[in-house]
Amino acid sequence: MPLLQIEDDGFRLDGEPFRILSGGLHYFRVHPGLWRDRLHKARLMGLNTVETYVPWNLHQPRPDEFRTDGGLDLTGFLDLAAAEGLHVLLRPGPYICAEWEGGGLPSWLLADPAMRLRSRDPNFLAAVDDYFGRLLPPLRDRLASRGGPVLAVQVENEYGAYGEDTAYLEHLAGSLRRHGVDVPLFTCDQPADLERGALAGVLATANFGSRPAAHLATLRTARPSGPLLCAEFWIGWFDRWGGNHVVRDAEQASQELDELLATGASVNFYMFHGGTNFGFMNGANDKHTYRPTVTSYDYDAPLDEAGDPTEKFAAFRRVIAKYAPVPAEFPPPRAGKFSLEAVELTDGIGLLEAAPALGDAVASRRPLTMEELGQDYGFVLYEANLPEAGPALLELERVRDRAQVFLDGQPVGVLEREGHEHSLTFAVPRPGTVLTVLVENQGRVNYGQGIHDRKGLLGRVLLNGSPLDGWTSRPLPLTALQDLPFDAGPATPTGPAFHRGTFEADRAADTFLHLDGWTKGSAWVNGFALGRYWSRGPQRSLYVPGPVLRRGANEVVVLELHAPGRDRKVSFRDTPDLGPVED
């Protein structure tokens, strides 16, 4: 692969003028069996480059563990990009935002109560240097300097919106260099934040979704010479639970793209293909009110969540063709899907009954946070015995993020961080009644100062104004469900419960799981964690990648936190339901 050169008059590739035409494609949001398909379609739209973040929290789930297997085979993804003739813009963090859980920062960092993320805190920098030391050396052969596809590497991510410690950015750039990154480095920021996030000697780029000429002029003022690159051209947006599905008109977005390319600037679409926040990996925002992001990361992108071309694909391809050659080949409009109505989930086990098989309880005076338990995602189950019968006021100082409260296994209420809810009243039937609090981590905050987002029950727990002591805290990460004792419970459990069913498939094709009438929870197919669902919407279906299915018998498991759908049935359909769109 040729080398990217940064000159006063623009980019050059081995001495020839070059325009970066890139699109966001996050390998960790796409089933690895579909990487080749998505990369091929990127080239067919006329792109010569793809961009991807690297999620530190997935690659290094524990300080002494580093993963590059399965869907985390970054070198394999880079090799497929190279085979497709695509260059790569690599964004390794350590912080990525991306509407991803915790902005990609590992939750174990927050086990240290004094940890200051995205700063020169020596403990944070030591962890970052260790991460780079594990991630980067195996990638050296994928750098363009050694014939690989990686043209440039990003330093941090939109740091100007968070802080202004240039020495912090200099440390990160130095660490990248020390670990073998010898291709150009770049920073990216929104136009108003350029000065705080830029770094001398490093290419500064801008992120925006409209008014390209004005924003590029701001970038040119900040950098009087050198290439102009919009590192995130926002052509859609993400959704949050309780909102509408956000879309952006294809014609309007393509007009903005035309204006951008007419200036001679380079571009990276955010996103070309959004993909999915599988499992528990969605992030959240907290600008005075906590708002978790939905499972789908469709992003109203040129390729939809299932990798099918949208109206934007064709519109953008036509604009790109005005400025660069595009392949003659055009992808088929939509791949075939699997569908099957009314799959009955016949087996069941209550979550409270199954809990001992899913995690070991830890005794302590107060409830322990998820981070103190060494847990990343999922739920924590807290229990304490209540000393007296009678009226009771329970106060939970900080619920992170949603607490279901039970007395002797019977539900008495729900407290939600999103609603700023902290207290419940109920009647305690007898001394020694078991108080159970099931707390869901709905996604760590991924943007702003709120990234220091510890989970579980934080702060004081008061019963009738007095501290309630003597707790057990049981981590329920739900990373594996093979130990669920379905045979031990009633066939139709009540309350939070797992429900299981089987179905036959005649092919391994993409499909969408619809949970009509179900309330809130998570779903798995053949052990693959699809993500969360919630009747609050807007999203009302879950994408099932084709490689997850197999010909013949398949299994679906649903954790329903409240009431299951009618007759405990789910459906697999050939179209998604991402909810009503904004007016």
Side-chain angles (χ1 to χ4, degrees), residues 383-467:
E383 289 190 334
N385 293 320
L386 302 182
E388 298 178 353
L393 169 65
L394 177 68
E395 297 175 88
L396 305 176
E397 186 174 18
R398 285 183 288 166
V399 174
R400 298 291 185 270
D401 299 303
R402 188 173 189 270
Q404 294 175 244
V405 183
F406 306 83
L407 293 180
D408 286 338
Q410 298 302 307
V412 293
V414 177
L415 297 175
E416 293 190 348
R417 173 183 182 180
E418 189 169 354
H420 304 281
E421 297 166 346
H422 304 284
S423 62
L424 278 177
T425 58
F426 45 77
V428 180
R430 59 177 180 80
T433 292
V434 178
L435 170 69
T436 301
V437 185
L438 177 66
V439 178
E440 179 185 3
N441 166 5
Q442 292 187 288
R444 288 184 179 82
V445 171
N446 58 258
Y447 188 81
Q449 299 300 321
I451 58 175
H452 297 82
D453 190 13
R454 295 168 176 87
K455 296 301 187 181
L457 292 182
L458 284 66
R460 298 182 303 166
V461 176
L462 303 178
L463 185 68
N464 291 330
S466 298

Side-chain angles (χ1 to χ4, degrees), residues 64-118:
D64 59 352
E65 179 185 353
F66 199 82
R67 292 189 53 202
T68 56
D69 58 318
L72 296 176
D73 180 11
L74 176 54
T75 56
F77 176 81
L78 297 176
D79 289 345
L80 288 174
E84 191 61 52
L86 293 166
H87 307 292
V88 175
L89 299 177
L90 191 67
R91 306 170 79 184
Y95 164 81
I96 63 172
C97 184
E99 289 73 58
W100 190 251
E101 222 274 352
L105 297 169
S107 65
W108 47 261
L109 292 169
L110 296 174
D112 176 357
M115 177 64 69
R116 291 178 292 116
L117 303 173
R118 303 182 74 187

Side-chain angles (χ1 to χ4, degrees), residues 316-357:
F316 289 174
R317 190 175 189 269
R318 286 193 295 269
V319 173
I320 291 170
K322 294 172 59 176
Y323 300 92
V326 299
E329 180 186 354
F330 198 86
R334 192 169 187 272
K337 304 291 187 289
F338 170 78
S339 62
L340 181 66
E341 284 290 339
V343 176
E344 185 175 2
L345 309 190
T346 56
D347 300 329
I349 180 69
L351 183 145
L352 302 186
E353 290 76 23

Side-chain angles (χ1 to χ4, degrees), residues 190-268:
Q190 297 177 45
D193 303 323
L194 277 166
E195 288 304 321
R196 290 186 297 275
L199 194 57
V202 171
L203 176 69
T205 71
N207 298 345
F208 52 81
S210 62
R211 300 173 53 235
H215 291 316
L216 289 171
T218 300
L219 177 57
R220 177 55 75 215
T221 299
R223 289 291 186 270
S225 64
L228 294 175
L229 168 61
C230 176
E232 290 186 11
F233 180 52
W234 304 320
I235 51 78
W237 206 246
F238 59 91
D239 296 341
R240 66 169 180 85
W241 293 114
N244 291 318
H245 175 46
V246 182
V247 300
R248 184 179 182 190
D249 179 71
E251 181 179 356
Q252 187 260 340
S254 62
Q255 289 174 353
E256 300 275 9
L257 173 64
D258 201 352
E259 182 181 343
L260 188 158
L261 294 180
T263 69
S266 292
V267 67
N268 175 61

Side-chain angles (χ1 to χ4, degrees), residues 42 366 387 394 456 461 503 538 570:
R366 59 168 177 82
L394 177 68
V461 176
F503 62 96
V570 300

